[in-house]
Amino acid sequence: MHSVVLSPGSPLLCDSLSVFVYHDLDGGALVREQPIFTTRAHVFQIDPSTKKNWVPASKQAVTVSYFYDVTRNSYRIISVDGAKVIINSTITPNMTFTKTSQKFGQWADSRANTVFGLGFSSEQQLTKFAEKFQEVKEAARLARDKSQEKTETSSNHSQASSVNGTDDEKASHVGPADTHLKSENDKLKIALTQSAANVKKWEVELQTLRESNARLTAALQESAASVEQWKRQLSLCREENDRLRNKIDELEEQCSEINREKERNTQLKQRIEQLESKVREKETELNDLRKQSEIIPQLMSECEYVSEKLEAAERDNQNLEGKVRSLKTDIEESKYRQRHLKVELKSFLEVLDAKIDGLHDFRRGLSKLGADS
C-alpha cells in the first residue's frame, strides 16, 4: 500500500491545461489527474472572522479547473495563482453551488472550513460552471453509491464466509483451514471496523455540512435582507433626488420670472423718467406762456385807451372839422396799428389755447400711464 501526496508545485502541461501528478513517498509517479473543464474567474473566500464579507484570494482572474482522479474516482476544483494553490476543493454529493448574482456564484467546503466564491466576466461562463458543478456532483453521488454497495457486498460475503467457516470447523476440525479462516475473519473484522469508522466520519462530515449550510442560509438571508434594505434606500434616494430636481426647476423658473419682472420694471422706470423730463419741459413752456399772458391786460388797456381817443377824436372831428384833415393821417396810422395789434393778439391767443389744450392732453396721458403702472 502506497502513501500518496499531491504535488501541485510541479504541474505538467497537457493541452494548455495543468495536470497534477501523485507521487509515492519514494518519489515515483503513480497517476495523473486530468482537467475536464477549465475557465477563468476571480476567486474569493469568506472572511473566517465575520462569515459575511468576501476576501479576494487572487489579485486578478485565474484559471479554475475541474479535475478527475481516476484512481480514487473523485472530482476536485483546483485553482493555482503562480505557485500558490488557492482552491483545492473535493466535490461531494452534499455540496451545492449557488448563484448569488448574474456573474457570481459560491459553494461551501466543510473540509476546508470555508466558502469559495467565483466572479465571472459574463453570465454565460457562470451558467456553464454551475452546470458542470451539477454534473460532477451527480457523478460523485453515483461513485459514492457504488462504493457503498461494494462495501456492503464485501461485508455480507465476509460474514457468510465466516459463518460457513465456523460450521466447517465444527464439522471437519481441519487445522490449516481453521487458521486461514481466522485470518480472513480478522481481516473482515478490521474492514468492518474501518467501515464503521468511515460511517462515523461521514456522519461528522454530514453534520458539519449541515451546520455550514445553515450558516450559509443565514448569511444569504441576511444578505437578501440587506439587499432589500439597500433597494428601499436607493428608491427613497431616487425619489428625494427627483423631488429636489423638480424643486430646483421650479426655483429656476421663479428666478427667470423675477429677472423678467426686473427688466420690465427697469424699462418702466426709464419710461417714467423720460415722461417726467417731458413734463418738466412742458411746465417750462407753460410758465413762459403764462408770463406772456400777463402782457395781455396791458394790451387790452391800451386798446381801450386808443378806442377812447378814437371816440374823442371823432367827437372832435364833428366839432373840429378843420382838425380832421390834419389828424386823418394820425387816425389812419392809429387804426392800422390797432388792427395789427388785434391780429397779433388773436394769433397769440390761438397759439396759447393750442398749447394749453396740448398740455391738458399730455397730463391726462401721464395720469393714465401712472395708473396702469
Side-chain angles (χ1 to χ4, degrees), residues 75-279:
Y75 297 87
R76 291 193 300 165
I77 299 176
I78 295 176
S79 179
V80 179
D81 186 10
K84 179 183 177 183
V85 179
I86 56 178
I87 299 179
N88 184 10
S89 176
T90 302
I91 300 176
T92 63
N94 296 324
M95 287 184 177
T96 301
F97 185 82
T98 305
K99 295 180 182 179
T100 57
S101 67
Q102 293 182 349
K103 297 182 182 180
F104 192 86
Q106 65 183 41
W107 78 95
D109 189 343
S110 60
R111 294 181 179 179
N113 193 23
T114 187
V115 179
F116 293 102
L118 297 179
F120 296 89
S121 60
S122 65
E123 185 178 0
Q124 184 179 5
Q125 291 182 349
L126 173 60
T127 302
K128 289 182 179 180
F129 190 89
E131 291 174 352
K132 181 58 66 174
F133 192 96
Q134 188 65 27
E135 293 176 5
V136 171
K137 173 183 173 181
E138 185 65 21
R141 186 186 66 79
L142 294 175
R144 185 192 66 179
D145 294 341
K146 288 181 180 180
S147 176
Q148 289 180 352
E149 289 177 0
K150 289 181 180 180
T151 302
E152 291 175 358
T153 303
S154 175
S155 177
N156 293 333
H157 180 70
S158 299
Q159 290 178 359
S161 300
S162 176
V163 172
N164 292 332
T166 304
D167 293 339
D168 293 339
E169 180 185 359
K170 292 180 180 178
S172 59
H173 301 284
V174 180
D178 183 25
T179 303
H180 179 71
L181 289 174
K182 285 182 178 180
S183 177
E184 291 293 332
N185 193 18
D186 292 337
K187 290 180 180 180
L188 290 174
K189 287 180 179 180
I190 294 172
L192 288 173
T193 303
Q194 292 178 352
S195 178
N198 289 333
V199 169
K200 292 181 179 180
K201 181 179 179 181
W202 292 337
E203 289 177 352
V204 172
E205 290 183 358
L206 179 60
Q207 183 63 27
T208 303
L209 288 174
R210 287 175 178 173
E211 294 176 355
S212 178
N213 190 22
R215 289 195 299 269
L216 284 175
T217 302
L220 286 175
Q221 290 176 352
E222 292 179 0
S223 178
S226 299
V227 168
E228 292 297 328
Q229 184 178 2
W230 293 338
K231 286 181 179 179
R232 289 194 295 270
Q233 292 179 354
L234 179 60
S235 178
L236 292 175
C237 289
R238 286 178 177 174
E239 292 177 357
E240 183 67 17
N241 191 18
D242 294 337
R243 188 183 67 80
L244 290 176
R245 284 181 178 176
N246 294 331
K247 186 66 175 177
I248 289 172
D249 293 337
E250 293 177 359
L251 292 175
E252 289 179 350
E253 183 65 25
Q254 292 178 1
C255 290
S256 300
E257 185 65 26
I258 291 172
N259 291 330
R260 290 193 292 270
E261 190 67 25
K262 286 182 178 179
E263 291 177 359
R264 287 196 294 268
N265 290 336
T266 303
Q267 294 175 358
L268 288 174
K269 286 181 180 179
Q270 293 175 354
R271 180 62 179 169
I272 290 171
E273 289 176 356
Q274 294 174 358
L275 293 175
E276 288 178 349
S277 177
K278 289 183 179 181
V279 167

Side-chain angles (χ1 to χ4, degrees), residues 22-35:
Y22 289 105
H23 296 274
D24 58 14
L25 295 178
D26 297 330
L30 296 178
V31 66
R32 290 183 177 182
E33 190 173 12
Q34 299 287 348

